[in-house]
């Protein structure tokens, strides 16, 4: 931070950032509850709904890069307000869609762009600039835990809204709720951003930062692992409610399961943030991905009962978004915070490509085979792959200028 740019208070950053992430991620995590009501009412296939959700995740990742660039240059406040407006517009359009194309554009492109402007890339950029390095991993864990609490809080509410008012009206109510993120963003107006000036001294241009990151082996491995994270969590989040209903379990079981994922991920993400201050973050990531494969394997082998579902949801909750704090903390630790939102956006784009594949393949293969089994098996294999590629990541700050020895090749 430059001398003329004082930091916001830690309490203010965490309170406003956590509230925004709670709303944004809480709404997003409940979309699986709309799969059957919308497809049955509109006469669409599951692949149609899954494709729109896949587009949403890809849009989120793509727009996240540009949202990160804008937040790094002009501050996150403006991006957050724009994201809140897009969220409300996208949810309204999703409710009023009468064709698959309009549904893909609203539920997919618009809401994806909204999520890019209201979630981790922007919030973590603000945290990186405003929170000292010795508390950064912890603070990122707190923000991720807030997103998980949003899932725990919002998913049952969304299920209740659908049951009480119908799926269209529920989306319109959520659209109004999304607008609350705009006034919350006011508390994240960072001192020092004025015109073209940013409060962080920069050694590199955007192009130089990108060349450095993409030429660094550990950055490539981090992106590969995050692809797997997206594949697994979005496949489970969107398709598990239908998977359970197909196997004779009530919709309430799915709602409670998604809520349990959110509740336990509060603890998982917070623990990952705290441990990231003490342990090698690459080892934390490798452990998380490997244990996901173990949890999915045991879930498929066990008899499918409500108790087994709740146990699986609790275990997956501990591992759900706990990858987010160590992944972003590694980016900040290696490359610094000047371009953190942008580089975090690129890493997250890889996550969202995985999300696209997970949710879309889930719908496609279900329609082709009448089962989700193949995608469950792919998720297990990918978890093992992600554990292996995260293990050799190097976390020390990259060396630049005359002292740089072999950073780009490392």
């Amino acid at each position: 931070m430059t001398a003329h740019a004082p930091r916001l208070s830690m309490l203010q950053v965490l309170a406003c950032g956590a509230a925004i992430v709670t709303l944004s991620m809480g709404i997003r995590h409940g979309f699986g509850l709309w799969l059957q009501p919308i497809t049955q009412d509109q006469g669409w296939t599951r692949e149609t709904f899954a494709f729109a959700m896949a587009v949403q995740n890809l849009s989120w990742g793509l727009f996240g890069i540009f949202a990160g660039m804008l937040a790094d240059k002009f501050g996150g406040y403006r991006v957050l307000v724009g994201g809140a407006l897009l969220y409300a517009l996208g949810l309204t359009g999703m409710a009023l869609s009468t064709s698959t194309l309009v549904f893909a554009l609203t539920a997919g492109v618009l809401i994806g762009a909204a999520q890019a402007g209201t979630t981790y890339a922007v919030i973590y950029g603000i945290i990186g600039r405003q929170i000292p390095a010795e508390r950064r991993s912890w603070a990122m864990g707190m923000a991720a835990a807030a997103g998980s609490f949003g899932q725990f809080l919002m998913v049952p509410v969304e299920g209740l809204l659908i049951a009480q008012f119908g799926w269209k009206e529920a989306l319109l109510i959520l659209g109004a709720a999304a607008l609350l993120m705009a006034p919350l963003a006011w508390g994240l107006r960072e001192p020092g951003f004025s015109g073209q000036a940013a409060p962080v001294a920069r050694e590199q241009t955007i192009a130089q930062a990108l060349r450095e990151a993409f030429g660094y082996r550990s950055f490539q491995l981090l992106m590969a692992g995050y692809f797997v994270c997206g594949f697994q969590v979005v496949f489970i989040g969107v398709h598990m409610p239908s998977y359970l209903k197909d196997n004779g379990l009530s919709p309430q079981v799915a709602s409670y399961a998604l809520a349990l994922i959110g509740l336990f991920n509060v603890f998982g993400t917070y623990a990952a943030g705290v441990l990231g201050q003490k342990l090698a973050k690459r080892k934390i990531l490798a452990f998380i991905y490997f244990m996901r494969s173990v949890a999915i394997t045991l879930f498929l082998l066990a008899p499918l009962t409500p108790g087994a579902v709740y146990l699986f949801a609790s275990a997956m909750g501990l591992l759900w978004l706990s990858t987010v704090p160590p992944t972003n903390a590694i980016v900040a630790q290696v490359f610094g915070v000047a371009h953190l939102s942008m580089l975090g956006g690129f890493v997250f784009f890889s996550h969202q490509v995985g999300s696209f594949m997970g949710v879309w393949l889930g719908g496609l293969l279900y329609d082709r085979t009448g089962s989700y089994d193949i995608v469950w098996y792919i998720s297990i294999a990918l978890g093992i792959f992600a554990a292996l590629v995260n293990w050799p990541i190097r976390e020390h700050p990259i060396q630049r200028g005359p002292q740089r020895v072999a950073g780009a090749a490392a």
Side-chain angles (χ1 to χ4, degrees), residues 233-244:
V233 300
V234 178
F235 163 68
I236 293 172
V238 172
H239 289 286
M240 190 169 73
S242 296
Y243 172 76
L244 298 178

Side-chain angles (χ1 to χ4, degrees), residues 241-307:
S242 296
Y243 172 76
L244 298 178
K245 190 172 182 180
D246 290 342
N247 284 276
L249 298 180
S250 72
Q252 286 74 22
V253 173
S255 294
Y256 294 150
L258 292 176
L260 281 171
I261 289 174
L263 176 62
F264 277 85
N265 199 36
V266 172
F267 305 109
T269 49
Y270 180 77
V274 171
L275 291 173
Q277 299 290 152
K278 304 174 182 178
L279 305 176
K281 300 170 189 65
R282 62 185 178 86
K283 294 182 179 179
I284 296 172
L285 289 170
F287 175 80
I288 290 168
Y289 287 120
F290 178 74
M291 291 308 298
R292 282 187 186 178
S293 292
V294 171
I296 294 171
T297 300
L298 293 175
F299 176 61
L300 296 180
L301 291 174
L304 192 59
T305 63

Side-chain angles (χ1 to χ4, degrees), residues 136-226:
R136 191 179 293 145
S137 178
W138 168 82
M140 289 179 175
M142 286 289 290
S148 304
F149 179 74
Q151 181 175 354
F152 170 69
L153 176 70
M154 293 293 294
V155 171
V157 170
E158 291 170 51
L160 183 63
L161 288 174
I162 294 172
Q164 293 294 320
F165 301 103
W167 65 266
K168 289 185 180 180
E169 292 75 8
L171 287 170
L172 294 174
I173 293 170
L174 289 179
L179 292 174
L180 294 174
M181 289 185 280
L184 287 168
W186 184 263
L188 298 176
R189 295 170 68 237
E190 298 172 81
F193 276 102
S194 104
Q196 299 290 319
V200 180
R202 293 186 174 182
E203 301 174 358
Q204 302 168 300
T205 65
I206 288 175
Q208 289 170 336
L210 290 176
R211 278 197 300 270
E212 178 182 74
F214 279 93
Y216 196 69
R217 182 65 173 169
S218 293
F219 188 77
Q220 299 166 7
L221 296 176
L222 200 64
M223 290 183 70
Y226 225 28

Side-chain angles (χ1 to χ4, degrees), residues 57-102:
N57 283 282
L58 201 58
S59 172
W60 183 0
L62 182 61
F63 283 103
I65 295 170
F66 300 102
M69 289 179 182
L70 291 172
D72 285 334
K73 189 168 186 178
F74 300 109
Y77 164 70
R78 294 175 177 86
V79 178
L80 290 166
V81 171
L85 296 175
L86 284 176
Y87 222 138
L89 184 61
L91 288 165
T92 302
M94 184 178 174
L96 302 178
S97 296
T98 56
S99 71
T100 57
L101 175 60
V102 175

Side-chain angles (χ1 to χ4, degrees), residues 22-57:
T22 294
L23 272 171
S24 182
M25 293 299 292
I27 293 171
R28 179 251 185 185
H29 278 303
F31 282 142
L33 300 177
W34 272 270
L35 189 155
Q36 291 201 0
I38 289 179
T39 55
Q40 290 171 3
D41 193 31
Q42 303 279 34
W44 297 340
T45 65
R46 292 189 187 184
E47 185 184 352
T48 298
F49 184 93
F51 180 75
M53 293 298 105
V55 169
Q56 179 189 110
N57 283 282

